[in-house]
């Protein structure tokens, strides 16, 4: 990027978005260098923060004319380096597009700008007794635009679905300036389901400028049943038995020994630290239904040899029991200088085998691993503990992570359940997809962004690299 | 049951070589849906069978020619179901066709569409490639969501030869209440009131001056909802044979569907009101309305334009007439571009969805 071009663009962007909303100096750009995966860092040419959708469109228009790469950024909490800048491009921040435009109480929807924080939607809908169901653990910070881009989930997605199940309509702008509406006011729209295609497309196809989400009525009652096990297989089987009994819990989470003890030290939720596995099962619905199902779940835990069972007796107790799980990441962060969060999915029946294999890998790589698991839907988050200040440790953690992803695919799962491919897992794409499938992904991208200006180099690997990766694995 | 994927691939390659179009046919139950297409038929009804079913993982993988009726019966043995309750049309409907048309039953607003339960697919493209997208696990965000993109695409991008779906437990209890409400305006008001409650509703429909609401879920919750409802609306009473009523709406057996008039289906904002379009059947808590009448697409588009929503002509389409609501220029361009990537020679179902596709 020539200095002149940067200066010209900087001036032009300032004219569009206002003096204070273009960041060009290194120091102020610092927070934009990475997302939640801070090991992946890059400096961008400029950071631009439009205050209106019209300004955003103007910014995109200039980028198209000058062929400047665009990396859209929500809150930067992503965990796959999806929002990591392109060195010769701009970071297009949606931080100022943070208005809740309208809440339609009757249709139970909320129309919001992309920079609105996930939790703000439920806060605003609360006055109508409604809420937005998908609740990533990062919900106090992450943006709904980022959620759409990653198809984010949360602890409640077994029952209430992922982002894709809870978005009704979105406005999208393509790099060539085309504006399209995806979805509609009704439930189904004739034609290809472009809304589904955009959700989870990691900012590679267009910029989402407005989103209409569905809201749900708050359940009358919510309770959580916690159970400890001294055997992981028993815990996994207990999960299967709840589902086989026809109960779909609102949330169903598992933690392994490391995660339990880290979480307990962090927030004293009352977790039994000697347990091999801990299950948290949340039931919601009407008063009587919750009562009935909690009793049933506790019974099933007992038959699967739970060593202790606790049913929340109050809202405070429920919050406390969840607190440990919700703060598992920072808790693990306390027992290790750094950690690397993976995101594979597996069929639940393979859990015990996967955990055993993982502990062997842990010995092999000489790094500890703690596991939290969305047990209901088979989404595993191994947290690899390492020390970035020790030369070579991050590389070892990455290699360990790659092996975990390969393991997930080999048992019938996939390389990412909710964090996305981004920059981080791009090398592992060829384990899950054939060359023809990857070629089709490139063609799909080409339909939306022929110049390849959006999030260049992310999400889908070049075919050349796939072949190299496969060859390297053969000889590994 | 045989796996005939290789024969299907051969047929596609042959057709491509001969530049011959293919009409994809599952159970032939949805001939009323979409426009007439052309070309020789590629029959999928022989491509049947359950590939795997793991009840405690809630995951089912089937070949596309498997009939919905068969799938539901198999799932019922384990007390599970396809939650979107796709129409069965006298048992003829297949899972492939249901995915291609994204066809859902009356529970759609609460239990989701078939698109919502799709986890992964095997797709035969117009190039004769056999590709795999998504998977057999609940969550998978690697690559673009090509699986859900096929839902409602009416086979225009390829043949969905296998599909993996999330299944759900059957509700422990189901109960339908009915209440006389003469005007459709009052019915919409009533539906909207119910929709805002936290009751376990799974059906909310109005037809022939009667409002039907179905409660499904845990026994206690359903009983309580029905009791509350009867207290609030003393004229309401229980419909004894609820399942045959909902089946008749879902499968279009109801006498309403027997009229010889053209039939339009609107997908719209659930509380929207249009004075000029009087519905004969309101379903999905107001979000789906059926309008009998001789209107044409231009009239429908004009009537809907002030409030939004879209119209599909489900019955009585004449000749080359377009039956689905037109889309904006940008979306249309993307449709054409996508079609050209999946099916470059345009061999699959030409014109079935739109004259230009
Ligand atoms: C502690 C912690 C816990 C987490 N827990 C969960 C969890 O439980 N479940 C889960 O799914 N994820 C979780 N995440 C990951 C992350 O929060 C989600 O991926 C989130 O959706 C990212 O939102 P964001 O606004 O921060 O997006 P960013 O990180 O800013 O961006 C993510 C991607 O979206 C693109 N993007 C952003 N906005 C737009 C837009 N308007 N249009 C087009 N593209 C856009 C970006 O280009 C980028 O590729 C967690 C992260 C952390 C740090």
């Amino acid at each position: 990027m020539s200095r002149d071009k940067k200066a010209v663009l900087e001036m032009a962007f300032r004219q569009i978005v206002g003096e204070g909303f273009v960041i060009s100096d290194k120091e102020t750009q610092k927070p934009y260098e990475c997302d939640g995966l801070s090991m992946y860092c890059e400096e961008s040419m400029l950071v631009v923060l439009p205050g209106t959708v019209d300004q955003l469109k103007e910014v995109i228009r200039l980028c198209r004319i000058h062929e400047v790469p665009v990396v859209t950024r929500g809150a930067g909490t992503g965990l796959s380096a999806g929002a990591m800048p392109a060195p010769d491009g701009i970071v297009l921040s949606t931080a100022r597009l943070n208005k809740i435009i309208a809440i339609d109480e009757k249709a139970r929807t909320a129309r919001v700008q992309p920079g609105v924080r996930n939790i703000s939607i439920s806060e605003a809908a609360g006055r109508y007794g409604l809420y937005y169901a998908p609740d990533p653990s990062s919900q106090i910070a992450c943006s709904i635009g980022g959620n759409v881009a990653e198809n984010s989930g949360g602890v409640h997605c077994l029952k209430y679905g992922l982002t894709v199940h809870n978005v009704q309509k979105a406005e999208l702008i393509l790099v060539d300036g085309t504006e399209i509406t995806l979805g509609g006011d009704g439930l189904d729209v004739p034609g290809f389901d472009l809304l589904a295609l955009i959700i989870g497309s990691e900012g590679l196809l267009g910029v989402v400028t407005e989103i209409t989400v569905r809201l749900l009525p708050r359940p009358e009652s919510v309770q959580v049943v916690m159970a400890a096990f001294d055997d992981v297989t028993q815990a996994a089987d207990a999960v299967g038995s709840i589902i086989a009994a026809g109960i779909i819990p609102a949330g169903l989470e598992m933690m392994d020994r490391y995660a339990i003890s880290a979480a307990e030290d962090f927030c004293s939720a009352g977790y039994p630290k000697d347990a091999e596995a801990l299950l948290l099962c949340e039931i919601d619905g009407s008063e009587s239904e919750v009562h009935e199902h909690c009793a049933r779940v506790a019974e099933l835990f007992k038959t699967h040899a739970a060593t202790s069972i606790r049913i929340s007796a109050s809202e405070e107790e429920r919050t406390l029991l969840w607190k440990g799980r919700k703060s598992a990441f920072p808790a693990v962060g306390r027992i290790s200088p750094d950690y690397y969060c993976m995101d594979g999915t597996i069929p639940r029946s393979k859990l015990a085998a996967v955990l055993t294999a993982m502990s062997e890998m842990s010995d092999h790589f000489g790094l500890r691993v703690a596991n939290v698991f969305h047990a209901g839907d088979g989404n595993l988050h191994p947290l690899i503990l390492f020390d970035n200040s020790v030369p070579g440790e991050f590389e070892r953690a990455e290699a360990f992570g790659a092996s975990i992803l390969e393991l997930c695919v080999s048992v019938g799962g996939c390389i990412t359940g909710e964090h996305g491919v981004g920059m981080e897992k791009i090398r592992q794409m060829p384990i899950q997809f054939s060359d023809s499938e990857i070629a089709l992904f490139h063609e799909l991208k080409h339909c939306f962004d022929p110049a390849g200006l959006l999030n260049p180099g992310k999400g889908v690997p070049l075919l050349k690299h796939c072949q190299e990766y496969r060859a390297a694995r053969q000889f590994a | 049951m045989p796996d005939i994927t290789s024969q299907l691939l051969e047929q596609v390659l042959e057709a491509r070589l001969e530049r011959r179009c293919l009409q994809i046919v599952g159970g032939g139950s949805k001939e009323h849906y979409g426009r007439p297409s052309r070309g020789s038929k590629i029959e999928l009804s022989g491509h049947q069978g359950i590939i795997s079913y793991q009840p405690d993982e809630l995951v089912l993988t089937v070949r596309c020619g498997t009939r919905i009726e068969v799938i539901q019966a198999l799932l019922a043995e384990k007390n599970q179901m396809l939650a979107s309750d796709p129409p069965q049309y006298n048992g003829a409907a297949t899972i492939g066709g249901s995915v291609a048309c994204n066809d859902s039953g009356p529970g759609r607003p609460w239990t989701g569409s078939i698109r919502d339960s799709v986890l992964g697919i095997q797709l035969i493209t117009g190039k004769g490639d056999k590709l795999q997208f998504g998977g057999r696990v609940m969550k998978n965000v690697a690559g673009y969501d090509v699986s859900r993109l096929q839902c409602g695409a009416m086979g225009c991008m390829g043949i969905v030869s296998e599909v993996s779906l999330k299944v759900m437990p059957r509700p422990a209890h189901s109960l339908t209440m009915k209440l006389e409400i003469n005007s459709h305006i009052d019915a919409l008001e009533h539906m909207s009131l119910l929709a805002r409650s936290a009751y376990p509703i799974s059906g909310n429909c109005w037809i022939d001056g009667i409002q039907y609401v179905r409660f499904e879920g845990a026994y206690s919750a359903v009983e309580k909802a029905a009791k509350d409802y009867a207290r609030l609306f003393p004229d309401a009473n229980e419909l004894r044979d609820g399942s045959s009523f909902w089946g008749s709406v879902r499968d279009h057996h109801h006498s309403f569907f027997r009229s010889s008039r053209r039939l339009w289906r609107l997908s719209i904002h659930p509380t929207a009101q249009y004075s000029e379009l009087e519905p004969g059947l309101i379903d999905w808590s107001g979000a789906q309305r059926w309008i009998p009448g001789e209107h044409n697409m231009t009239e429908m588009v004009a009537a809907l334009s002030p409030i939004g929503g879209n119209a599909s002509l489900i019955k009585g389409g004449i000749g080359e007439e377009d039956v689905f609501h037109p889309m904006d220029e940008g979306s249309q361009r993307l449709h054409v571009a996508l079609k050209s990537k999946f099916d470059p020679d345009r061999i699959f179902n030409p014109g079935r969805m739109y004259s230009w596709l």
Side-chain angles (χ1 to χ4, degrees), chain A residues 104 108 158 164-165 180 187-188 190 192-193 288-289 292 345 348-349 379 416 418 432-433 437 440, chain B residues 56-57 108 115-116 127 132 137 139-142 144 166 195 218 220 267-269 284 310 334-335 342:
Chain A
D104 183 337
R108 296 195 309 198
L158 177 65
V164 71
H165 302 106
I180 55 174
L187 294 171
D188 295 323
F192 298 165
D193 196 337
S288 50
E289 179 182 2
E292 184 184 320
T345 62
R348 200 183 334 94
S349 57
N379 191 185
T416 171
E418 55 182 18
Q432 199 178 322
F433 295 101
E437 287 150 6
L440 188 73
Chain B
D56 69 356
E57 302 268 352
R108 164 77 179 90
R115 166 264 207 196
D116 291 327
K127 294 181 192 164
Q132 206 85 43
V137 282
K139 289 156 94 178
N140 182 353
V141 294
Y144 302 114
K166 175 181 182 182
S220 52
S267 175
I268 54 175
H269 187 288
W284 295 1
N310 61 72
L334 284 172
H335 275 66
F342 284 88

Side-chain angles (χ1 to χ4, degrees), chain A residues 81-98:
Chain A
M84 186 183 90
D88 54 347
I90 66 158
V91 168
L92 178 62
S93 165
T94 62
R96 294 173 68 211
L97 301 172
N98 58 358

